[in-house]
């Protein structure tokens, strides 16, 4: 908007002399590379490389450390403008780092390095090498900066492992709020119509996620008709919000037919159904199989909600009942592995490890896109 090419020009043209520069300190590039170079398609590693290349005129500066030059790949190293080469373990590494071999020896003091063609000695903050003295000096510096009204740097937040539904608004961007998104750390919702499939391995939080989804839907759209098809001893049965429940396959089949007919005829007073099907795979090859598939198709076509959950390994195959809930390619994949995307949602999942996901964390899937989120815990 200010038509500025650099942050210096922006400060002058926009009359914002205090617009801050951003300094990113990354200590230990090898560990960062190992964790993020291939994670989620390498998008965060590429983002950091782009900041190294294009951030300087925007006031974004990157300072990183590496134990050896080979830790930094060529496509990243080519974007680093300046290098401070300290004492290295292998003489061959000096050539890789663009420094003259032999300028530093094993007897060189700590902090002695090469900056360009000149020799360099890193200063010791506070004048003493002990961690206690340096910590005290840093504290004095921080106090002096605050007296000069220098603002504290904002905290770098991360997605929490526990999010409570009572702490979230009823809706997020017009949708029932189900948890917190990783990319914005703000409430995230799900589409309140059609089929919503919750998958995951054992102990991944599927039952809790189903409870959260139906309660979130009830908070955002009071007046829905919540229905549960699941075990009588299930924790879902104790929620106390159901207008109808069924567990036995014969009971489920009869209830599914009635709901399908009522929805097709407009329902009682135009009410919207929200049907939760627990362990949907257990109804395969039972009297409830075909009626449930027909009911799901009817409810999806008419804009009602069907929330189904099952263990990921049971969702393969081309059963009509499973196809009915997978057709929308919408749902929540808890503690997913990369292959789960193609198996269940016909969507490419980023490369990840199941161990990186605590219970209740997964990928919200909709329209071929994924978004990492932590599902809230209902009261």
């Amino acid at each position: 908007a200010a038509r500025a090419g650099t942050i210096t020009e922006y400060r002058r043209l926009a009359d914002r002399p205090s617009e801050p520069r951003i300094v990113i300190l990354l200590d230990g590039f090898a560990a960062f590379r190992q964790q993020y170079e291939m994670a989620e398609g390498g998008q965060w590693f590429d983002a950091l490389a782009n900041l190294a290349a294009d951030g300087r005129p925007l006031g974004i500066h990157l300072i990183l450390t590496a134990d050896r030059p080979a830790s930094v790949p060529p496509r990243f190293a080519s974007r680093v403008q300046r290098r401070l080469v300290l004492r290295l373990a292998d003489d061959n590494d000096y050539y890789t780092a663009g420094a003259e071999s032999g300028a530093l020896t094993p007897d060189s003091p700590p902090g002695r390095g090469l900056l360009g063609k000149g020799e360099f000695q890193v200063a010791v903050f506070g004048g003493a090498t002990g961690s206690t003295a340096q910590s005290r000096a840093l504290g004095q510096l921080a106090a002096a900066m605050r007296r000069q009204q220098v603002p504290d740097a904002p905290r770098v937040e991360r997605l929490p492992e526990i999010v409570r539904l009572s702490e979230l608004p009823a809706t997020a961007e017009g949708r029932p709020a189900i948890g917190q998104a990783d990319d914005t750390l703000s409430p995230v919702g799900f589409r309140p119509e059609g089929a919503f499939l919750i998958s995951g391995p054992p102990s991944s939080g599927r039952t809790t996620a189903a409870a959260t989804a139906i309660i979130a839907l009830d908070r955002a759209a009071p007046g829905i008709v919540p229905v549960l098809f699941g075990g009588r001893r299930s924790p879902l049965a104790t929620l106390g919000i159901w207008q109808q429940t069924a567990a036995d396959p014969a009971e489920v089949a009869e209830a599914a037919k009635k709901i399908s007919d009522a929805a097709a005829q407009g329902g009682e007073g135009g009410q919207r159904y929200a049907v939760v099907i627990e362990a949907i795979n257990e109804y395969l090859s039972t009297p409830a199989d075909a009626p449930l598939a027909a009911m799901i198709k009817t409810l999806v076509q008419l804009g009602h909600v069907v929330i189904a959950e099952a263990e990921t390994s049971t969702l393969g195959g081309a059963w009509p009942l499973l196809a009915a809930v997978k057709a929308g390619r919408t749902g929540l994949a808890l503690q997913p592995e990369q292959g789960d995307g193609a198996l269940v949602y016909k969507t490419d999942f980023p490369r990840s490890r199941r161990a990186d996901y605590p219970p209740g964390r997964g990928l919200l899937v909709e329209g071929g896109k994924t978004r990492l989120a932590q599902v809230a815990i209902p009261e």
Side-chain angles (χ1 to χ4, degrees):
R3 302 187 185 277
T6 66
I7 186 174
T8 304
E9 293 178 356
Y10 175 78
R11 285 171 164 175
R12 176 174 54 84
L13 295 174
D15 193 23
R16 298 188 63 175
S18 60
E19 179 70 20
R21 293 179 181 269
I22 298 173
V23 181
I24 302 173
L25 306 177
L26 199 166
D27 188 21
F29 186 81
F32 177 87
R33 179 184 180 184
Q34 181 179 4
Q35 183 170 354
Y36 290 104
E37 186 172 21
M38 303 304 296
E40 299 187 38
Q43 60 175 321
W44 306 120
F45 192 84
D46 293 340
L48 188 69
N50 291 335
L51 287 178
D54 306 325
R56 185 177 180 181
L58 305 177
I60 303 173
H61 307 278
L62 175 65
I63 301 174
L64 60 90
T65 69
D67 54 357
R68 55 194 181 92
S71 300
V72 185
R75 68 187 182 98
F76 200 104
S78 63
R79 305 183 183 190
V80 177
Q81 288 90 14
R82 302 189 74 184
R83 293 174 176 82
L84 170 59
V85 182
L86 300 174
R87 190 177 61 206
L88 298 174
D90 190 339
D91 287 342
N92 295 325
D93 287 342
Y94 289 102
Y95 176 78
T96 307
E100 183 179 349
S101 179
L104 298 176
T105 68
D107 296 328
S108 297
R112 184 64 52 87
L114 302 172
L115 184 62
K117 295 183 179 180
E119 199 166 342
F120 188 90
Q121 179 64 42
V122 178
V124 176
F125 187 74
T129 58
S131 60
T132 301
Q134 291 190 16
S135 177
R136 185 182 300 113
L138 283 171
Q140 293 172 350
L141 173 64
M145 294 174 70
R146 291 190 177 99
R147 286 196 298 270
Q148 297 296 324
Q149 298 184 347
V150 177
D152 288 350
R155 290 177 55 85
V156 179
E157 303 288 350
R158 62 183 300 175
L159 191 62
E161 294 189 6
I162 296 179
V163 177
R164 302 195 181 280
L165 188 60
S166 59
E167 298 173 354
L168 299 179
T171 61
E173 298 179 347
R175 297 181 170 193
I178 193 175
Q180 189 170 335
D182 179 66
D183 52 355
T184 61
L185 299 181
S186 60
V188 63
F190 70 103
R191 190 171 64 184
E193 60 182 16
F196 187 80
L197 178 60
I198 301 173
S199 64
S203 302
S204 60
R206 298 192 314 272
T207 301
T208 300
T212 299
I214 190 64
I215 295 174
L217 190 62
D218 187 57
R219 291 202 311 164
I224 63 170
V225 180
V227 178
L228 172 64
F229 294 152
R232 290 186 173 88
R233 296 184 178 181
S234 166
L236 292 176
T238 65
L239 290 181
I241 65 172
W242 309 109
Q243 294 193 18
Q244 184 177 355
T245 62
D248 182 79
E251 296 176 353
V252 171
E254 183 180 357
K257 293 177 183 178
K258 291 182 179 179
I259 291 174
S260 182
D261 292 341
Q265 296 172 6
E268 298 179 4
Q271 291 178 319
R272 294 183 65 233
Y273 287 96
V275 180
V276 176
I277 308 174
E278 187 178 23
I280 189 172
N281 59 291
E282 294 185 0
Y283 294 106
L284 297 174
S285 299
T286 70
D289 191 336
L292 277 178
M295 181 203 70
I296 292 172
K297 291 180 181 179
T298 299
L299 295 183
V300 169
Q301 290 174 356
L302 298 176
H304 300 267
V305 185
V306 177
I307 301 171
E309 72 86 16
E311 186 178 341
T312 305
S313 61
T314 67
L315 292 171
W319 295 86
L321 177 56
L322 299 183
V325 294
K326 295 193 295 184
R329 300 168 62 194
T330 299
L332 172 66
L334 295 171
Q335 296 184 346
E337 292 184 346
Q338 188 174 15
D340 296 345
L343 175 69
V344 181
Y345 300 94
K346 300 298 185 292
T347 299
D348 292 334
F349 278 8
R351 182 178 300 178
S352 61
R353 298 180 305 167
R354 188 163 284 172
D356 296 334
Y357 292 82
R361 183 163 301 179
L363 297 174
L364 278 171
V365 187
E366 184 176 337
K369 297 181 179 180
T370 63
R371 194 176 185 186
L372 182 63
Q374 180 71 37
V375 179
I377 298 175
E379 298 302 327

